[in-house]
Amino acid sequence: MQTETLLVRITGPDRPGLLAGALALMARGGSEVQDIEQITIRGYLDLNLVVTAPGGNDLLKELLFYGWEQGVTITFDVVEGSHTPQRPGLVVTALGRRMGPEELGAVAGAIAAGDGNIERIIRLARYPVFSYELQVTGGDEAVIRHELLGASQRHAIDVAVQREGLHRRATRLVVMDVDSTLIQDEVIDLLAAEAGCEAEVAAVTEAAMRGELDFEASLRQRVALLEGLDEGCFDRVKAAVRLTPGAQTFVRTLHRLGYRTAVVSGGFTQVTDHLQALLGLDHAYANTLEVVDGRLTGRLVGRIVDRAGKAEILRAVAASEGVPLDQVVAVGDGANDLDMLAAAGLGVAFNAKPAVREAASTSLNVPYLDAILFLLGVRREDVEDADHTVVGGTASET
């Protein structure tokens, strides 16, 4: 018996049982389902099915009558009998405080300029920022990336481009910087305030930023200025430290996903150990201030965690956790993080200096650390649902 392949589209107000009823009619008519896609937006259904149907039967008439009964519209188109779908090659994540027609149009236009085709768009969040994931097939990846970079700069939005693949669904290791990333503060500045040497520490920091000192030399000079400070300062500094908005939600959600977490800091273990306990981080690495007889000596103990050291630690932690480097996410804001960001499969420059934004594969310029979840394809609603269903759980802080 001759068959024809049809694209059946059902649109209208959604309600339970619509799909089941349509499929029952198709089954009675001897049809086979080849493909199916459905989305529902604000209670409005858009359901598409590709079916093969025997010619000359009454399926189309019965479906039209079914649509009239259910208050939905059913249309038909004859399509090719065989089709090999092109799998998405890229995932583009766009986010910003505003994602209106200008911003979304700029993203779509950038993809089109690289001959890419948008197969699917998924809304990830409306709060605290808007975020959308676009699955893209075809096109020139280099051109698409270049065009998206221009669009993000013109419209003050953040756009990340990743290759689609199983690694986006696999367990990952997330490695974060601490100062001005996991927390809003610079711990050395808080300690300097305790010691009354803020101006001196700031002068050394500025010299380092001008390239007159490398990280280790500048760190040792600043630490030397803390000599004589009583170790009770650590409790006061820990109490003063402010987590970046979204930090608790970010780490809590990562753990629920089965991810491993680490901080690698050019700061000090006396504070990172506290953060590890507070957030339940799996690993924490930093420099250690020497304390003798209850006072800081102005020296450091052990090897310095510098720019190269951060990348080495990232690789070592990944190896110990059995996570390939292409499944590691690194997050940082400063030049000291560049090697670490480059070593990871996904390096995220978080509210970073311009040079770091230019070097990193992805840049986020919103003040919410949990916005990184959107780059991993996690929807805001899923985060909130998980918070509300865990016994004793707390709502998101952002």
Side-chain angles (χ1 to χ4, degrees):
M1 179 182 296
Q2 187 177 4
T3 63
E4 57 183 355
T5 304
L6 302 172
L7 172 62
V8 180
R9 187 180 188 194
I10 304 174
T11 58
D14 194 17
R15 66 173 63 87
L18 273 176
L19 175 60
L23 291 174
L25 287 175
M26 294 176 189
R28 288 199 297 270
S31 299
E32 296 290 338
V33 176
Q34 302 298 320
D35 203 355
I36 183 169
E37 293 276 356
Q38 175 181 322
I39 61 171
T40 304
I41 299 178
R42 303 293 178 93
Y44 191 89
L45 172 71
D46 190 343
L47 171 62
N48 296 270
L49 305 98
V50 176
V51 301
T52 55
N57 67 18
D58 293 327
L59 173 63
L60 302 187
K61 182 168 57 177
E62 291 180 2
L63 283 172
L64 287 171
F65 183 69
Y66 176 72
W68 176 78
E69 286 184 316
Q70 300 296 322
V72 295
T73 300
I74 300 182
T75 58
F76 311 91
D77 285 296
V78 178
V79 296
E80 294 181 5
S82 61
H83 173 66
T84 301
Q86 188 176 8
R87 296 185 60 80
L90 297 176
V91 175
V92 176
T93 309
L95 57 103
R97 294 182 181 276
R98 183 181 188 276
M99 289 296 294
E102 298 92 347
E103 291 82 5
L104 287 169
V107 172
I111 294 169
D115 290 327
N117 185 58
I118 301 170
E119 289 283 322
R120 181 177 298 177
I121 302 175
I122 302 168
R123 178 182 53 77
L124 298 174
R126 286 193 295 257
Y127 172 84
V129 293
F130 288 93
S131 181
Y132 295 90
E133 179 180 286
L134 298 85
Q135 298 179 3
V136 178
T137 59
D140 186 315
E141 180 177 345
V143 175
I144 291 173
R145 287 180 179 273
H146 175 76
E147 294 292 332
L148 285 170
L149 176 61
S152 68
Q153 293 172 344
R154 290 191 301 273
H155 294 274
I157 57 176
D158 292 319
V159 180
V161 183
Q162 300 176 71
R163 296 293 301 174
E164 179 61 295
L166 186 61
H167 66 278
R168 291 194 76 235
R169 312 289 182 259
T171 299
R172 291 187 174 187
L173 166 67
V174 178
V175 180
M176 294 170 279
D177 176 42
V178 174
D179 291 20
S180 298
T181 300
L182 182 64
I183 64 175
Q184 301 177 62
D185 310 283
E186 294 287 333
V187 170
I188 188 67
D189 293 338
L190 297 178
L191 289 168
E194 289 284 329
C197 60
E198 300 102 314
E200 294 90 336
V201 165
V204 176
T205 300
E206 290 171 6
M209 293 179 67
R210 292 193 299 268
E212 298 170 9
L213 296 170
D214 63 18
F215 176 79
E216 180 173 348
S218 68
L219 179 64
R220 291 190 184 279
Q221 285 192 25
R222 286 177 289 177
V223 167
L225 294 167
L226 305 177
E227 181 181 1
L229 189 60
D230 73 280
E231 64 178 343
C233 68
F234 296 132
D235 289 334
R236 297 188 292 273
V237 166
K238 286 185 286 189
V241 161
R242 300 164 298 164
L243 290 172
T244 297
Q248 290 177 302
T249 299
F250 183 47
V251 175
R252 181 171 65 244
T253 304
L254 291 175
H255 287 159
R256 287 175 179 166
L257 292 169
Y259 287 24
R260 307 294 284 175
T261 55
V263 290
V264 181
S265 174
F268 310 109
T269 57
Q270 285 88 349
V271 173
T272 57
D273 288 350
H274 161 70
L275 294 170
Q276 181 180 18
L278 176 67
L279 297 172
L281 300 165
D282 299 299
H283 305 272
Y285 298 87
N287 300 299
T288 299
L289 294 164
E290 185 180 62
V291 179
V292 175
D293 296 331
R295 293 193 175 275
L296 278 66
T297 65
R299 296 187 295 270
L300 294 162
V301 178
R303 183 180 175 184
I304 299 297
V305 178
D306 58 6
R307 174 172 168 169
K310 284 189 169 189
E312 290 176 15
I313 292 169
L314 179 147
R315 294 188 183 95
V317 174
S320 71
E321 292 287 357
V323 177
L325 286 176
D326 63 2
Q327 290 172 210
V328 176
V329 180
V331 187
D333 75 299
N336 205 35
D337 300 312
L338 281 172
D339 291 0
M340 179 175 77
L341 298 180
L346 176 62
V348 181
F350 182 73
N351 293 313
K353 285 74 176 175
V356 181
R357 291 201 302 269
E358 293 172 6
S361 57
T362 298
S363 178
L364 287 185
N365 297 296
V366 296
Y368 311 107
L369 196 62
D370 54 343
I372 296 171
L373 292 170
F374 308 144
L375 303 182
L376 308 180
V378 179
R379 298 189 316 136
R380 180 72 185 190
E381 287 87 346
D382 294 336
V383 175
E384 294 176 346
D385 288 346
D387 282 338
H388 293 153
T389 56
V390 173
V391 176
T394 58
S396 168
E397 76 274 22
T398 60

